Amino acid sequence: MSTLANQLAAAEREEVARAVRLLLARPLLTEAADPAGFELVRRRREPLAQWFDYTCGWSLVVEPRRGYARLTKVRADPDGSRPARRARSGRAPFDRRRYVLLCVTAAELLSMPMTTIGMLADRVVQAAAADRALAAFDPVHKPERMAFVDVLKLLESYDVLRAVDGTTEAYVESAEAKVLYRVDTTLLMRLPAAPVGASRLAVSPDEVPARFEELLTGLLRERRYGGALADGATDEAHGETAATDAQRNLRLRHSVLRRLFDDPVLYRTDLTDDELAYVTSVTGRQILRRSVEQAGFLLEERAEGFLLVDPDGLATDVRFPDDTSTARVAALLLLEPLCAAPAGLLPEQLAEAGADLLRRFPRWAKAYQSEDGAARLSDDAVCALRDVGLARRTGGRVVACPAAYRYRLTETTSSDREEEPGPQRDASPPESAGGTVSGDVAAEGDPQ
């Protein structure tokens, strides 16, 4: 092969690796939000689609004319660590009311390529009134309008809605506000990532609470892996009474690599016996290492599990440490007592540690300077640690996970050392962490 051909092949590998990491962080990548990133994905869409399909079993759709690329991630164990967030109110997570309005609004938008905010609100009012399982929507009340605006702003961030006249925020102050939208119904239909549509698992509303986990499993079932149906029955018409060896191997490859590329840390104890046997087999290890290299990550493999490091930080949507969040600063500070207690800490001990932080820095964490502030601070810090795989709850205690030992607090710095902590992470983790890393713990996200 000529030198030029080698250079072109190397350039393609580098571009594909970069695009993989961009899509892991932003599974809905729009030209408006990232023109350069979208152009890269558009140009390399064929090898990208092949990589995601083989490695994780995820589909990639690139629409050059519409200006978006959608990577459809499917998780076997969905969790709430990536909630939809409000564009206002400090990006607070969506509550139940906003999620309900999101689903109803999305359903009404499917038949409306153009609409106004008033017409859409009327449709949502009618849809909620026609379904006994839904609470009535009354845009006369400002809190209802605020929730509705949060939903619309989220859809705008996905480019599903585009305001061509007026501003969505105006509706908060007045139900008479005039806003005209253009709706991308094709993109809207691509947002759900579940392999099975919810309408195919129709049950009465009264049954949903008792069967929620079963229904969720049914939404995530993929026929290509064979085996039993979600309700435990078999489908002999489709040859699904038993999975073949090829189907089992495909499921194992996808289940392991999905978690590796979608979570900050993958611990061996979190794998099933079959998954652990696959990832430690000769073939499984070769596929894992090749996939990691093709995506441009560095693989840390320990006795406890695996961790991917992105040297460029492209695939990271949640950083740790992160001094932009009070909870994450507290999380880093609480790692020291957690790591010093192998058996873990009780909630009362964590709350006392949080109270100690508030006493040391009385003008820091003002939102937590209340009677129950210490307990709330420690709870939020633990949630931050759990989201990045550094702690877990076990038997009523919070226990540090192995990856937590890669961090060591060396000093706290700020413009006013006595008032506001600014913890710094040691660049060289202690020996118990097993070495150094280049980059932070990475966690890839999905549009909510």
Side-chain angles (χ1 to χ4, degrees), residues 111-125:
S111 60
M112 304 172 71
M114 295 287 292
T115 186
T116 65
I117 197 168
M119 290 174 58
L120 181 58
D122 290 342
R123 292 280 293 266
V124 173
V125 168

Side-chain angles (χ1 to χ4, degrees), residues 32 66-67 155-156 159-165 180-183:
R66 293 182 178 270
L155 293 173
E156 283 187 80
D159 259 10
V160 167
L161 283 182
R162 292 190 182 182
V164 295
D165 187 21
L180 177 65
Y181 294 108
R182 180 177 291 111
V183 185

Side-chain angles (χ1 to χ4, degrees), residues 131-202:
D131 192 330
R132 64 185 179 88
L134 300 179
F137 173 59
D138 188 357
V140 171
H141 301 294
K142 186 174 182 178
E144 290 281 79
R145 296 199 304 273
M146 292 174 63
F148 190 50
V149 165
D150 288 334
V151 167
L152 298 181
K153 293 298 292 182
L154 180 71
L155 293 173
E156 283 187 80
S157 72
Y158 294 158
D159 259 10
V160 167
L161 283 182
R162 292 190 182 182
V164 295
D165 187 21
T167 59
T168 303
E169 291 85 348
Y171 191 71
V172 173
E173 299 303 326
S174 172
E176 303 302 320
K178 306 298 182 183
V179 189
L180 177 65
Y181 294 108
R182 180 177 291 111
V183 185
D184 190 335
T185 55
T186 303
L187 176 55
L188 178 60
M189 289 188 290
R190 295 196 188 280
L191 290 184
V196 179
S199 61
R200 296 180 59 186
L201 300 177

